[in-house]
Amino acid sequence: MEKMAALTTIHTSLFPTNTTLPKTSAFQPFFHTQLLGLPLSSSFSAAKRLSSSTCRPIKCSVSEATEPKTEKKRQLLRRADVRNIAIVAHVDHGKTTLVDAMLKQTKVFRDNQFVQERIMDSNDLERERGITILSKNTSVTYKDTKINIIDTPGHSDFGGEVERILNMVEGILLVVDSVEGPMPQTRFVLKKALEFGHSVVVVVNKIDRPSARPDFVVNSTFELFIELNATDEQCDFQVIYASGIKGQAGLSPENLAEDLGPLFESIIRCIPGPRIDKDGALQMLVTNIEYDEHKGRIAIGRVQAGVLAKGMDVRVCTSDDSCRFGRVSELYVYDKFSRVPADNVEAGDICAVCGITDIQIGETIADKVSGKPLPSIKVEEPTVKMSFSINTSPFVGREGKYVTSRNLRDRLYRELERNLAMKVEDGETADTFVVSGRGTLHITILIENMRREGYEFMVGPPKVINKKVNEQLLEPYEIATVEVPEEHMGAVVELLGKRRGQMFDMQGVGSEGTTLLKYKIPTRGLLGLRNSILTASRGTAILNTVFDSYGPWAGDISTRDQGSLVAFEDGASTSYAISSSQERGQMFIGPGVEVYKGQIVGIHQRPGDLSLNVCKKKAATNIRSNKEQTVILDTPLDYSLDDCIEYIQEDELVEVTPASIRMCKNPKIAKKTR
């Protein structure tokens, strides 16, 4: 009774008797599920913070408390006519579609202009895969305020793109799906943004989904802020409910405006303008690099102090005070969907600089006389490595334009100039290179881009990068979330258990009969897991992962139970040979395909490899049969580049050419075959 009386006191102190709670308030579920388990002082503080973020009109507190109160800071001014924001979210939560709607509603395009969907995904690979790989800049103007928008990738493998972009902005739009809620990558990017002290506007997107649960999503997001040690000002976030595909937004799920007006209003009110030193010495940190055939290297970044002018002589500094001089030949700002030439750019705006041929990400363009470098960009270390080597198969040079080790070396080291999260090292031999990245997808995108450029090479299986601390072997662990229908949950749980995964959360998602499983699992256990999970769940499971931390070695993990079917002679495959070979397992090739000795042509149905002849022809005799035997062949498996890299093991390689992707045994690693 005493506890209930105390809770009643809290309730009446928060809301007087003549106050009615809004129907959409996230306070109600939070009060019942969270408040009862907390001490009175903390529950009052938490309830007050949550109610203030969702139960009142737009009024945001800029995080002044997070900024040190130094004499220098007092001299800095805020620009009221510019906002720099990054749109961050987990993959498939609707960032790029929301940017589309923002561009259309601010009249970036003509009314009769044809505009394709996901206009920001300009890369061919991004369009094919339906994902954002590279961060891109654009800008819109709303009520005399220029809003610079940066669309960022959602996959954790491209987290390096997000980390460096946060240097250019003062606030983020955190887009969260109205059904799924915060996911692993949401946690990752939010943690980084809070460390920078950025303001956050939470956009609950896809609010028009039938099983949307906005109250749960807002509460989960608030709990995530608390877990990540956000300040009181950051926890006081503004919530906007939106449907990116319809181009609507509002302050409550049931009452959406006809356009994105409420979203633009909250960006201008809740996200502060850039804090600048207008009269100080020029400083601009380069956070991105683009390349143009005519203009050469283009450095992109935000001017932190002073004014940058076209034709200006500047000093280019790195963090270790080693400086050189350069000249700005051309200067551009982002206006709507294109770069527009500018004579000068004031502090606080994002611009593109041409003329400095050897500029690198992380360097500072500073005043020629008194310029000082800004702190360089730091990104997290890679966790997975793969070996790249020249193509040694009998088919070398048939399809590719660049086949030598010099070509391969130059291309890999050129990738480092714009891909900060990647590392390249020379391998054991002169024609081998070790490429390290955030995950297999991170390296696979590089491989796909290289083959489209005409390169021909071989890659080995992915391996995790381990560490030794105090004589103890540590390996990377990731947080994996699997969304799976209930009828397939048993098979998926068993599969993750074999991979040394430890479940720490399980919950139902919406009204669609799906369950969300959360695991902490070694990165080794994730290699080759995606295909296995799709097979176990009949193609219905969705797997997402994000790097968590390094932990103790988990022990041996068996990732593949079956061996490979290997061709033991060169030639063209025949229907006659494949009809008998397919009884041994599943084939990768059909009839009439050229193969070479050592090429993997199928999956053996048992452990261990099996050599067979897929080029064998039917004996031609002079005895005529009454009827020609009909051969029925199974449809061969069609493995993509990602599938092949997941499939191969220690003694196998993937041969990558512009026209083909083949797998073969590594001749340098002799392994017994049956």
Side-chain angles (χ1 to χ4, degrees), residues 539-564:
T540 55
I542 301 169
L543 172 68
N544 289 298
T545 61
V546 69
F547 173 72
D548 181 50
S549 59
Y550 273 81
W553 180 261
D556 292 333
I557 297 175
S558 173
T559 55
R560 198 176 92 193
D561 300 327
Q562 297 165 305
S564 299

Side-chain angles (χ1 to χ4, degrees), residues 259-325:
D259 56 16
L260 293 174
L263 177 60
F264 286 118
E265 291 287 346
S266 54
I267 289 172
I268 291 171
R269 293 194 194 191
C270 302
I271 292 175
R275 189 181 276 277
I276 60 167
D277 184 3
K278 188 175 181 181
D279 302 321
L282 170 68
Q283 281 184 313
M284 172 185 151
L285 184 69
V286 178
T287 49
N288 209 349
I289 294 283
E290 287 185 8
Y291 185 81
D292 186 275
E293 289 182 3
H294 305 292
K295 300 180 181 67
R297 292 170 75 80
I298 302 172
I300 299 168
R302 190 186 74 182
V303 181
Q304 305 274 12
V307 177
L308 185 62
K310 182 178 177 181
M312 189 177 186
D313 290 320
V314 294
R315 180 187 291 188
V316 182
C317 303
T318 52
S319 55
D320 56 0
D321 292 334
S322 62
C323 297
R324 60 191 188 278
F325 295 98

Side-chain angles (χ1 to χ4, degrees), residues 81-100:
D81 60 334
V82 173
R83 298 290 185 275
N84 299 319
I85 61 167
I87 298 190
V88 296
H90 190 79
V91 63
D92 281 341
H93 280 200
K95 297 178 300 301
T96 308
T97 307
L98 187 64
V99 175
D100 278 5

Side-chain angles (χ1 to χ4, degrees), residues 439-458:
T440 49
L441 182 64
H442 190 198
I443 304 176
T444 305
I445 294 295
L446 169 64
I447 295 170
E448 185 65 46
N449 280 324
M450 286 174 65
R451 71 180 282 246
R452 293 182 183 207
E453 292 166 19
Y455 287 85
E456 197 172 292
F457 53 97
M458 285 184 161

Side-chain angles (χ1 to χ4, degrees), residues 34-294:
Q34 300 293 326
L35 206 55
L36 293 173
L38 291 171
L40 289 182
S41 58
S42 62
S43 60
F44 177 84
S45 171
K48 186 178 178 182
R49 283 204 296 258
L50 185 65
S51 64
S52 64
S53 66
T54 53
C55 299
R56 63 182 188 189
I58 303 176
K59 184 185 176 189
C60 300
S61 52
V62 175
S63 303
E64 299 287 350
T66 60
E67 297 170 353
K69 301 289 184 182
T70 62
E71 191 64 34
K72 187 180 176 185
K73 285 288 182 186
R74 291 195 189 97
Q75 296 171 359
L76 301 184
L77 304 171
R78 284 205 184 274
R79 281 187 68 175
D81 60 334
V82 173
R83 298 290 185 275
N84 299 319
I85 61 167
I87 298 190
V88 296
H90 190 79
V91 63
D92 281 341
H93 280 200
K95 297 178 300 301
T96 308
T97 307
L98 187 64
V99 175
D100 278 5
M102 294 171 78
L103 291 170
K104 287 173 185 172
Q105 291 190 18
T106 47
K107 301 296 180 185
V108 169
F109 309 107
R110 298 190 313 272
D111 291 337
N112 62 346
Q113 186 175 348
F114 171 74
V115 180
Q116 57 190 357
E117 288 184 6
R118 302 197 323 277
I119 186 74
M120 295 295 280
D121 284 349
S122 52
N123 187 318
D124 289 342
L125 213 51
E126 292 178 321
R127 296 207 146 274
E128 287 171 22
R129 294 180 178 235
I131 60 174
T132 303
I133 297 169
L134 302 172
S135 54
K136 299 172 199 67
N137 300 52
T138 185
S139 80
V140 299
T141 303
Y142 181 80
K143 293 185 178 178
D144 300 325
T145 302
K146 181 181 181 183
I147 304 174
N148 286 311
I149 303 171
I150 306 173
D151 184 23
T152 62
H155 277 277
S156 58
D157 289 38
F158 309 115
E161 290 275 324
V162 182
E163 282 176 72
R164 69 165 188 251
I165 288 309
L166 291 174
N167 282 282
M168 290 165 54
V169 299
E170 283 76 37
I172 66 168
L173 291 190
L174 184 71
V175 182
V176 187
D177 188 285
S178 64
V179 176
E180 294 180 354
M183 296 289 278
Q185 184 69 358
T186 314
R187 183 189 187 94
F188 170 79
V189 293
L190 180 59
K191 180 184 177 186
K192 295 292 176 190
L194 294 177
E195 286 173 2
F196 276 90
H198 289 334
S199 304
V200 182
V201 173
V202 176
V203 180
V204 181
N205 196 24
K206 303 187 183 181
I207 200 68
D208 49 343
R209 285 182 67 174
S211 53
R213 42 181 189 167
D215 289 346
F216 167 81
V217 170
V218 173
N219 290 341
S220 302
T221 308
F222 179 75
E223 288 168 17
L224 185 57
F225 272 75
I226 300 294
E227 281 177 42
L228 297 175
N229 299 318
T231 63
D232 284 3
E233 289 82 4
Q234 288 171 328
C235 287
D236 193 9
F237 56 81
Q238 175 66 45
V239 180
I240 297 291
Y241 302 91
S243 169
I245 201 149
K246 290 182 179 177
Q248 295 179 324
L251 296 175
S252 68
E254 288 94 1
N255 188 21
L256 298 184
E258 290 300 311
D259 56 16
L260 293 174
L263 177 60
F264 286 118
E265 291 287 346
S266 54
I267 289 172
I268 291 171
R269 293 194 194 191
C270 302
I271 292 175
R275 189 181 276 277
I276 60 167
D277 184 3
K278 188 175 181 181
D279 302 321
L282 170 68
Q283 281 184 313
M284 172 185 151
L285 184 69
V286 178
T287 49
N288 209 349
I289 294 283
E290 287 185 8
Y291 185 81
D292 186 275
E293 289 182 3
H294 305 292

Side-chain angles (χ1 to χ4, degrees), residues 562-625:
Q562 297 165 305
S564 299
L565 299 176
V566 184
F568 69 63
E569 72 171 21
D570 302 350
S573 59
T574 63
S575 303
Y576 175 72
I578 289 176
S579 65
S580 57
S581 300
Q582 68 188 16
E583 296 171 8
R584 309 282 187 167
Q586 294 175 288
M587 304 298 293
F588 289 136
I589 61 167
V593 177
E594 278 201 78
V595 297
Y596 56 83
K597 183 179 179 181
Q599 183 177 333
I600 296 172
V601 293
I603 303 174
H604 192 204
Q605 61 193 8
R606 293 191 175 89
D609 297 337
L610 177 66
S611 292
L612 42 77
N613 187 356
V614 290
C615 305
K616 187 178 179 183
K617 294 179 181 175
K618 188 174 182 181
T621 65
N622 60 356
I623 302 172
R624 294 184 181 179
S625 59

